[in-house]
């Protein structure tokens, strides 16, 4: 094009190109493509049928359809768990046997189980909400992790399938309206939901279903399947993770949400299913970063403020309680940690809240209930194992000047020989009493009719365990070539990860309880010292003073806080100053509690190999 003489060449070129064009984001139907699924664009508009509720980027409200390629109404549901995500496509189908249904009910049915879009894994029984008209949502396709797919839930409603508000509330009994399968079949309420007759087992009875049973499929505290549909189920009392180390591997593994999958080989099966559990530690991990414990200074200050356990225990300022009396030839099957405090706690509450000068006698069960009720289950003992036992608790009344309260007295009886009989020194005698000087507390145990009390030959009571002196490891000058000072925070992490709870105690035949931890690879360039942190609780060779001991609390009983094994082991670090953190050990009764940091090759392995350390102890550097 020749230049214009008037100098308007640029203007003419713009006119030749035409007006600027803007790219628009259209709707699929504009290009003869299938319309959106309504669930992918915010659902169907409430005012304009067949139109998306949400506009696209160009402000177009596109057409949408709830009908899938097979002609059925569909919707898409997404879910995200702690570890996975999944998307499921649900189809609205009609269950013909409920075509005349006027309000929603929940039933069980058998469907094909699937964890991905292409992986059918058989059949499973599920709870299904059937809407008015017999419509129900069924999972047609799912993509994602297995745990997330299992967490998918169908929609709770569907268009044109709302409940009939003329149906009565509360629901009719099925027998009054000719009902079957939860639906009235005769009369004005035909098609409305009805309730089956109350044939559910009483709460707390042995035949009440557990919510964790596979066939129960609980919803809102009631079974939707199994032998007792629509009946209340028993919730298991989950382990307290603040008190017990309860790894997911102890209950069938992690279901993907931090809860137990359930173990079908347990008795009863799947006991802890849906309980929260602690993720199993990866002992193979070798972190290169130094660990930092939060509030470490406050923790150290609290530990340093504890009494010096290497010193002789303080003498009591008050006169000790008199010893209880019991027949050690007549022994029950009740463990001391079932009796204390489950049996007597409510009895003692009644005394402390009433007139202590008046006598009180109660007949209670293993949970302390005077009358029948729900039997709660608390680990480690299985309360259901003692449902048939009866306990008679008695207080003769007194003048109100007793030196100790009811709980203190019964705890003293439990901690005495009366609560530590039998081959494992852990069961109660059938009867015991303690005279406080102003009144007598007593109990007696009656076994179920099929259980005969055991008569044993009495054996001498072992001495009360004592805490021995602290033995600090010696820092050998030769260690300089392999040794760096120990980090207090890493020591605490190692000790806190250790689990020594053994409700039945340990004996000289049991293996050591050892925890091995690694701070970081030596020479890795990240500042890691490579030190292997090792804590150990083991039976002292040739010690025969005690038939067994409780490792997590050697001066009391498993689970209480008389003196914790964590406290004992941490004191071997904090109270052994000047030895570069090499720790030491403390003997309590027949158990030795120690902290043994080292640089012996191979101790930190998968699995750990502490024998390599003991083979050359006390050399901590290795060859």
């Amino acid at each position: 094009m020749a230049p214009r003489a008037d100098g308007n060449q640029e203007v003419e070129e713009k006119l030749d190109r035409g007006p600027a064009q803007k790219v628009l984001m259209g709707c699929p139907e504009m290009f003869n493509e299938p319309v959106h699924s309504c669930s992918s664009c915010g659902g169907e508009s409430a005012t304009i049928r067949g139109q998306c509720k949400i506009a696209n980027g160009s402000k177009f409200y596109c057409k949408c359809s709830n009908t899938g390629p097979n002609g059925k109404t569909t919707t898409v549901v997404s879910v995200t768990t702690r570890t996975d995500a999944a998307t499921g496509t649900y189809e609205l189908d009609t269950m013909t046997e409920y075509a005349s249904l006027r309000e929603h009910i929940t039933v069980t049915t058998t469907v094909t189980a699937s964890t991905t879009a292409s992986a059918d894994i058989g059949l499973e029984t599920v709870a299904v909400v059937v809407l008015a008209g017999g419509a129900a949502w069924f999972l047609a396709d799912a993509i994602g992790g297995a745990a997330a797919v299992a967490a998918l839930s169908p929609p709770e409603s569907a268009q044109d399938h709302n409940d009939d508000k003329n149906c009565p509330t509360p629901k009719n009994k099925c027998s009054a309206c000719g009902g079957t399968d939860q639906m009235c079949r005769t009369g004005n309420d035909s098609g409305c939901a009805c309730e089956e007759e109350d044939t559910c087992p009483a709460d707390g009875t042995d035949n009440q279903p557990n919510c964790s049973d596979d066939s129960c499929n609980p919803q809102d505290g009631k079974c939707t399947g199994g032998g007792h549909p629509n009946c209340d189920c028993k919730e298991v009392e989950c382990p307290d993770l603040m008190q017990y180390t309860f790894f997911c591997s102890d209950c069938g593994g992690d279901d993907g949400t931090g809860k137990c999958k359930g173990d079908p080989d347990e008795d009863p099966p799947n006991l802890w299913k849906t309980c929260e559990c602690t993720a199993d530690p990866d002992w193979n991990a070798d972190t290169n970063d130094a660990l930092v414990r939060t509030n470490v200074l406050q923790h150290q200050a609290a530990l340093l403020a504890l009494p010096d356990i290497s010193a002789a225990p303080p003498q009591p300022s008050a006169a000790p309680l008199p010893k209880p009396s019991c027949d050690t030839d007549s022994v029950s099957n009740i463990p001391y940690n079932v009796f204390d405090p489950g049996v007597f706690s409510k009895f003692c509450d009644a005394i402390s809240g009433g007139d202590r000068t008046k006598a009180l006698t109660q007949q209670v069960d293993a949970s302390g209930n005077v009358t029948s009720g729900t039997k709660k289950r608390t680990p480690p003992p299985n309360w259901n194992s003692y449902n048939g036992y009866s306990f008679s608790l008695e207080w003769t009344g007194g003048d109100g000047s007793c030196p100790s309260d009811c709980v203190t007295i019964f705890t003293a009886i439990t901690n005495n020989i009366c609560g530590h009989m039998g081959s494992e020194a852990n069961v109660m005698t059938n009867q015991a009493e303690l005279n406080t000087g102003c009144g007598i507390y007593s109990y007696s145990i009656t076994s179920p009719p099929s259980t005969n009390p055991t008569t044993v030959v009495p054996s001498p009571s072992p001495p009360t365990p004592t805490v021995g002196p602290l033995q600090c490891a010696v820092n050998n000058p030769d260690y300089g070539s392999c040794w760096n000072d120990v980090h207090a925070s890493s020591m605490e992490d190692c000790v806190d990860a250790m689990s020594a709870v053994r409700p039945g105690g340990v004996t000289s035949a049991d293996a050591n309880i050892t925890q091995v931890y690694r701070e970081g690879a030596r020479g890795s360039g990240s500042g890691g010292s490579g030190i292997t942190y090792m804590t150990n609780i083991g039976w002292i060779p040739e010690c025969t003073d005690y038939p067994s001991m409780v490792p997590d609390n050697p001066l009391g009983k498993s689970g209480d806080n008389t003196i914790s094994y964590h406290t004992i082991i941490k004191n071997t670090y904090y109270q052994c100053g000047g030895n570069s953190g090499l720790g030491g050990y403390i003997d309590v009764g027949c158990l030795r509690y120690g902290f043994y940091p080292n640089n012996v090759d191979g101790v930190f392995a998968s699995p750990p190999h502490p024998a390599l350390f003991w083979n050359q102890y006390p050399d901590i550097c290795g060859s």
Side-chain angles (χ1 to χ4, degrees):
M1 179 172 54
R4 286 172 57 104
D6 58 6
N8 288 326
Q9 177 71 28
E10 181 179 354
V11 173
E12 187 166 324
E13 288 179 356
K14 288 184 178 180
L15 291 172
D16 290 340
R17 288 197 300 265
Q21 296 190 16
K22 181 179 180 181
V23 178
L24 297 178
M25 181 185 298
C27 295
E29 62 269 20
M30 296 177 181
F31 307 99
N32 295 319
E33 296 291 331
V35 299
H36 287 302
S37 167
C38 291
S39 61
S40 67
C41 59
E44 187 176 21
S45 169
T47 56
I48 304 177
R49 299 292 292 269
Q51 178 176 291
C52 291
K53 187 181 293 185
I54 299 176
N56 65 15
S58 296
K59 307 301 182 182
F60 282 108
Y61 285 90
C62 300
K63 292 182 179 180
C64 70
S65 173
N66 287 317
T67 303
N70 59 0
K72 294 182 179 180
T73 300
T74 62
T75 188
V76 177
V77 176
S78 298
V79 67
T80 301
T81 67
R82 190 175 62 178
T83 57
D84 292 310
T87 299
T89 300
Y90 284 87
E91 291 183 347
L92 191 66
D93 208 343
T94 299
M95 301 179 69
T96 55
E97 62 270 38
Y98 295 103
S100 59
L101 184 66
R102 292 164 56 188
E103 61 179 339
H104 74 278
I105 59 175
T106 300
V107 302
T108 56
T109 188
T110 301
V111 298
T112 300
S114 176
T115 56
T116 67
S118 60
D120 288 341
I121 57 172
L123 301 177
E124 63 178 351
T125 300
V126 297
V128 175
V129 177
V130 184
L131 306 173
W137 292 104
F138 291 93
L139 184 64
D141 190 16
I143 299 176
V149 170
L152 287 168
S153 296
E156 296 181 352
S157 61
Q159 196 165 32
D160 301 327
H161 292 281
N162 297 323
D163 286 349
D164 185 341
K165 296 182 179 179
N166 292 319
C167 286
T169 302
K171 299 173 184 177
N172 289 314
K173 293 295 183 181
C174 292
S175 59
C177 61
T180 59
D181 299 328
Q182 303 182 57
M183 184 174 73
C184 292
R185 305 289 179 172
T186 61
N188 293 333
D189 295 329
S190 179
C192 294
C194 64
E195 293 181 341
E196 302 292 345
E197 298 300 322
D198 187 8
T199 57
C200 296
D203 288 350
T205 56
D206 291 340
N207 60 342
Q208 184 184 12
N210 291 313
C211 297
S212 59
D213 292 344
D214 282 338
S215 60
C216 176
N217 292 311
Q219 205 169 65
D220 298 328
K222 293 180 179 291
C223 289
T224 59
H228 299 287
N230 301 312
C231 292
D232 291 338
C233 57
K234 289 186 288 190
E235 293 283 359
V236 65
E237 186 169 329
C238 295
D240 182 354
L241 299 188
M242 300 298 293
Q243 183 176 4
Y244 299 100
T245 301
F246 186 59
F247 290 124
C248 296
S249 58
D250 295 331
C251 57
D254 189 335
D255 67 356
T257 65
K259 296 182 179 180
C260 298
K261 285 183 180 177
D263 185 352
D265 295 328
E266 281 184 314
D267 184 19
N270 299 314
L271 176 62
W272 307 117
K273 186 176 180 181
T274 73
C275 287
E276 292 187 354
C277 56
T278 302
D280 290 75
D282 182 5
W283 302 118
N284 300 324
D286 190 0
T287 176
N288 290 326
D289 298 323
L291 297 175
V292 179
R293 184 182 179 89
T294 58
N295 302 322
V296 63
L297 295 179
Q298 294 92 323
H299 291 169
Q300 291 179 4
L303 286 170
L304 291 173
L306 292 172
D308 183 359
I309 63 173
S310 64
Q315 297 300 315
S317 56
L321 287 170
K323 292 184 177 180
S325 60
C326 54
D327 182 0
T328 55
D329 289 338
S330 179
V331 179
S332 74
N333 292 322
I334 299 296
Y336 67 85
N337 58 348
V338 169
F339 187 83
D340 181 4
V343 170
F344 59 77
S345 59
K346 297 176 183 177
F347 174 79
C348 289
D349 288 344
I351 291 178
S352 61
D355 186 350
R356 291 168 54 91
T357 63
K358 293 184 178 180
L360 177 64
T361 301
Q362 287 184 355
Q363 202 76 18
V364 302
D365 60 18
S367 297
N369 298 313
V370 177
T371 57
S372 61
T374 301
K375 305 290 190 300
K376 294 294 185 180
R377 178 187 170 106
T378 303
N382 182 349
W383 299 108
N384 292 331
S385 300
Y386 309 100
N387 282 343
Y389 286 80
S390 177
F391 303 81
S392 178
L393 306 176
E394 184 174 1
W395 160 240
T396 61
D399 59 12
S401 62
C402 291
S404 298
D405 64 9
C406 172
V407 172
T408 302
I409 296 298
F410 276 114
T411 299
I413 294 175
T414 306
N415 290 338
N416 198 271
I417 187 65
C418 303
H420 289 78
M421 295 301 297
S423 60
E424 297 183 3
N426 66 348
V427 295
M428 306 291 296
T429 57
N430 276 316
Q431 179 277 336
E433 66 177 35
L434 195 152
N435 190 336
T436 66
C438 63
I440 299 174
Y441 287 92
S442 64
Y443 76 85
S444 63
I445 300 173
T446 302
S447 303
S450 60
T451 304
N452 296 320
T454 304
T455 300
V456 298
V457 177
S459 57
S461 175
T464 301
T466 58
V467 179
L470 174 65
Q471 303 291 334
C472 296
V474 177
N475 188 3
N476 191 320
D478 295 339
Y479 295 162
S481 61
C482 81
W483 194 246
N484 291 312
D485 203 357
V486 172
H487 293 172
S489 59
S490 297
M491 177 278 298
E492 291 209 5
D493 284 326
C494 179
V495 176
D496 290 343
M498 187 179 195
S499 175
V501 177
R502 304 291 189 275
V506 296
T507 68
S508 59
D510 289 309
N512 288 359
I513 303 171
T514 306
Q515 176 70 43
V516 178
Y517 174 81
R518 187 74 168 270
E519 182 184 46
R522 186 170 26 164
S524 64
S526 65
S529 66
I531 291 175
T532 295
Y533 292 75
M534 192 173 91
T535 57
N536 189 81
I537 303 174
W539 197 274
I540 301 171
E542 311 302 327
C543 182
T544 58
D545 293 339
Y546 306 90
S548 67
M549 292 195 65
V550 179
D552 64 308
N553 184 22
L555 297 186
K557 60 179 184 292
S558 179
D560 76 18
N561 294 314
T562 306
I563 182 167
S564 166
Y565 64 104
H566 287 157
T567 301
I568 298 174
I569 296 177
K570 288 178 182 179
N571 275 334
T572 65
Y573 172 86
Y574 287 117
Q575 294 187 5
C576 282
N579 70 344
S580 297
L582 287 175
Y585 65 84
I586 296 172
D587 292 344
V588 184
C590 281
L591 292 179
R592 178 162 294 172
Y593 296 75
F595 174 52
Y596 306 97
N598 65 85
N599 258 324
V600 177
D601 290 338
V603 174
F604 181 82
S606 179
H609 202 341
L612 294 175
F613 170 78
W614 297 119
N615 289 343
Q616 59 184 48
Y617 180 74
D619 180 8
I620 66 168
C621 290
S623 56

